[in-house]
Amino acid sequence: MERLRRLDRYQKGVLLVLAAMVLVFSVLYPVALSRRGYAYQGALLLPRQENGGTVYAGSIRGQQAAFAVQEDGTVTFRYGSRSYGPYTARRDPSALPPGRETDGMTGVELRRDGELLFRGGVQRLGGILFLYNEDGSPADTGFSVSFTGVLTDEAGNEIDAMVPSAAVILDLMSGPALTHKGSWTGWFCGVLLCIATAVSILFADELFRWGLRFQIHNAELAEPSEWELASRYIGWTVLALAALAVFAVGLQ
């Protein structure tokens, strides 16, 4: 307690901030890790049962988004005021690429409001869905971003970035693997940084003189310069901000 009383207001303030961060993120991490949902466009869409089907809903870039998967496998997607679908699929062994009948691949035909979007084989490996066109070529390669920031397909045509890919729709139809935000690694590293910062504040002089023992004699008599004192405060501030960043990144 005597060591704490000798600290100035800034040092005590940093210690309080560190303690508050550990406390707050120790509550946030279990909550984040317990919420499992479908990862889409950098967001986590949480599932709920509705009208016999499943709805995966959440917020993407500040707008409400939801995939509705009905009992018969029909999928619709809403993003803000926009609606996509309905998407329907049926198994069709004749859609399998030549020579892939024994690879555990399923022939599928996917349509959006009656329009054919994909016809070929679908195979799940390691939890990831792979699509192959009827001729055996890889399908659903996605889009790229031009130097102007406009989203385009492989042919250079501008596209709506929120249009779900065939892989996403088929994944939802087959029962997607759910995930969660956050990792205990981020919490653990953040707590370690907080502890290291607290130790460097509480034992600043001891650590200073311990480091000098390898450079000079009678290090216990050395006194920190103004620059040494200033660098301590800068270091404590940087370490506290780094701990906050680690905690935040670990929740992504």
Side-chain angles (χ1 to χ4, degrees):
M1 291 300 296
E2 180 62 30
R3 188 179 294 274
L4 284 173
R5 280 194 290 267
R6 291 202 304 265
L7 299 178
D8 61 31
R9 290 184 179 179
Y10 188 82
Q11 292 169 313
K12 291 177 181 177
V14 173
L15 288 176
L16 286 174
V17 169
L18 295 174
M21 278 197 291
V22 171
L23 178 62
V24 169
F25 284 104
S26 293
V27 173
L28 291 179
Y29 267 78
V31 172
L33 290 165
S34 67
R35 300 175 68 199
R36 300 184 65 83
Y38 183 68
Y40 183 68
Q41 297 275 9
L44 192 67
L45 307 181
L46 302 180
R48 68 173 185 269
Q49 298 302 308
E50 189 175 292
N51 299 325
T54 304
V55 175
Y56 301 86
S59 177
I60 301 176
R61 300 169 195 163
Q63 294 201 54
Q64 290 300 306
F67 283 102
V69 184
Q70 300 176 18
E71 284 185 288
D72 61 0
T74 300
V75 176
T76 55
F77 176 54
R78 293 193 62 86
Y79 177 67
S81 60
R82 286 175 279 175
S83 180
Y84 306 84
Y87 297 88
T88 57
R90 69 180 182 88
R91 292 192 177 186
D92 186 353
S94 66
L96 282 171
R100 305 300 296 270
E101 293 83 3
T102 61
D103 291 350
M105 191 176 292
T106 304
V108 172
E109 189 175 87
L110 177 67
R111 294 180 178 271
R112 180 182 61 199
D113 200 19
E115 175 190 358
L116 182 64
L117 291 182
F118 169 75
R119 178 179 167 82
V122 178
Q123 187 175 33
R124 188 181 291 275
L125 296 173
I128 301 175
L129 215 60
F130 293 90
L131 276 62
Y132 299 88
N133 292 315
E134 194 173 7
D135 62 4
S137 61
D140 199 54
T141 54
F143 56 82
S144 59
V145 182
S146 70
F147 68 93
T148 60
V150 176
L151 298 171
T152 60
D153 60 20
E154 290 184 321
N157 301 312
E158 185 176 344
I159 62 173
D160 181 351
M162 296 310 300
V163 175
S165 67
V168 167
I169 297 299
L170 291 171
D171 191 28
L172 287 163
M173 288 178 174
S174 62
L178 301 182
T179 186
H180 57 74
K181 287 189 175 183
S183 167
W184 282 115
T185 301
W187 178 87
F188 182 73
C189 292
V191 170
L192 281 182
L193 267 175
C194 288
I195 292 174
T197 306
V199 169
S200 69
I201 292 174
L202 292 170
F203 300 93
D205 288 338
E206 289 85 346
L207 291 171
F208 166 71
R209 295 189 176 95
W210 180 82
L212 289 178
R213 288 178 59 189
F214 303 96
Q215 304 176 48
I216 63 174
H217 294 292
N218 300 321
E220 64 277 3
L221 301 178
E223 293 296 330
S225 65
E226 292 297 324
W227 169 247
E228 166 64 21
L229 293 174
S231 64
R232 290 181 186 180
Y233 285 83
I234 294 172
W236 296 330
T237 303
V238 171
L239 285 173
L241 292 175
L244 177 61
V246 170
F247 276 129
V249 170
L251 278 176
Q252 300 307 308

